[in-house]
Amino acid sequence: MPEGDVLLRVARRLSLALSDRPLLRGELRWPSLAGHDLTGLRSVGTVSYGKHLLTRLDDGRTLHTHLRMDGTWQVRHTADPPEPLRRPNVRAVLGTDQWTCVGLQLGMMDLVRTREEASLLRHLGPDLMADDPDLDTAVANLQADPERPIGEALLDQSVAAGIGTIYLAETLWRHRINPWRSSSGVQAPRELFATAHRLMRRSADGPSLTATGDTRAGHTTHVHGREGRGCRRCRTLIVVAPIGVEPMTRPAYYCPACQPD
Ligand SMILES: [Zn+2]
């Protein structure tokens, strides 16, 4: 599932592609939105909140989408042949005379009044991709369940929004914290959220996605996806284990030497 850095980049691409020109196509292929056609409206920008996307329209409404597991937004020249737009996995087609944004396999779609956007986000913790994220609230949310493993809590979007399995692994490795340590056993929880924020923003703002700052293939993570390979700090073999409560477990990668129990 894509994380905050990916979503911020997608939001920026949608904003650029759709800015200042009327939609010549505005199709929503979503059962609850049947009959809604956005043709003729203009996008006034797309923002991300955690893993959610909010595309604001000039009629005072917002199209809310979520990629879930397999969703993507592709941007293509409107003049290109239209064949892909007929695929059954296309959920949305927003096109100006220049660019067309195609939402594939989206996992969620709503159309709400822009002033009521907050109602969609009420269940989420503070957005870690924000310029100045509300880290105090993230820490307070974390401390509400002190016995919960820290790795599980970091994945919970109601604690703080934006972290997935990559930044769970990379953040805890940097702080040398085992993913199963209780949240109350973490000495400086604010610093954890600050690190996740900093790493994801650097990745979103850089030339391509990277959790390490290095954009070369095979060098973009310290631990995530590196099971059985040497820790970049101590050469101990990286391991992976499921974290969370069945059936919602997710893989947590860590170094057993740098991040002991
Ligand atoms: Zn190590």
Side-chain angles (χ1 to χ4, degrees):
M1 188 184 289
E3 312 194 20
D5 54 345
V6 174
L7 271 296
L8 184 54
R9 292 172 85 101
V10 172
R12 289 170 175 169
R13 288 179 69 220
L14 293 180
S15 290
L16 276 175
L18 299 176
S19 65
D20 296 332
R21 288 168 180 268
L23 295 176
L24 302 181
R25 293 182 72 161
E27 298 171 25
L28 305 178
R29 302 178 189 170
W30 194 262
S32 62
L33 297 177
H36 288 275
D37 184 347
L38 307 181
T39 302
L41 301 177
R42 293 169 192 255
S43 159
V44 292
T46 297
V47 299
S48 64
Y49 189 106
K51 302 179 181 183
H52 296 250
L53 290 166
L54 302 167
T55 300
R56 294 166 180 159
L57 303 162
D58 67 350
D59 69 345
R61 291 187 294 173
T62 293
L63 178 66
H64 165 235
T65 57
H66 192 291
L67 305 182
R68 297 261 201 202
M69 296 308 290
D70 302 313
T72 57
W73 274 100
Q74 295 178 356
V75 179
R76 56 205 300 282
H77 285 288
T78 294
D80 287 349
E83 278 71 20
L85 307 185
R86 298 199 203 104
R87 289 185 198 152
N89 60 357
V90 172
R91 297 285 173 263
V93 183
L94 306 180
T96 69
D97 60 340
Q98 286 190 320
W99 299 102
T100 295
C101 302
V102 184
L104 295 154
Q105 293 182 264
L106 302 177
M108 195 185 290
M109 193 184 297
D110 303 286
L111 198 54
V112 300
R113 291 180 192 278
T114 300
R115 64 171 185 261
E116 293 168 2
E117 275 176 6
S119 66
L120 297 170
L121 309 173
R122 199 170 287 141
H123 64 293
L124 299 171
D127 177 20
L128 292 177
M129 299 308 293
D131 292 341
D132 185 17
D134 180 0
L135 301 182
D136 292 335
T137 297
V139 170
N141 292 341
L142 183 73
Q143 291 172 340
D145 193 351
E147 295 309 311
R148 194 177 192 192
I150 184 64
E152 185 185 323
L154 291 183
L155 290 174
D156 184 343
Q157 303 299 295
S158 72
V159 172
I163 298 176
T165 53
I166 296 174
Y167 289 96
L168 150 72
E170 299 296 315
T171 299
L172 293 180
W173 180 82
R174 281 178 179 266
H175 288 268
R176 300 176 185 255
I177 293 172
N178 185 275
W180 284 268
R181 186 184 297 180
S182 69
S183 297
S184 60
V186 174
Q187 299 293 320
R190 201 172 194 284
E191 296 311 308
L192 278 191
F193 291 113
T195 295
H197 161 74
R198 184 172 54 80
L199 295 178
M200 290 194 288
R201 277 299 291 251
R202 181 178 65 181
S203 178
D205 295 343
S208 61
L209 296 168
T210 174
T212 59
D214 189 334
T215 55
R216 292 174 296 161
H219 295 264
T220 58
T221 64
H222 288 113
V223 280
H224 187 269
R226 300 191 66 246
E227 182 186 12
R229 298 168 70 189
C231 171
R232 296 198 196 273
R233 194 158 46 205
C234 76
R235 298 294 147 205
T236 301
L237 299 186
I238 300 299
V239 296
V240 60
I243 196 161
V245 180
E246 291 287 357
M248 298 297 289
T249 57
R250 312 274 302 280
Y253 293 84
Y254 64 105
C255 171
C258 291
Q259 299 167 264
D261 290 340

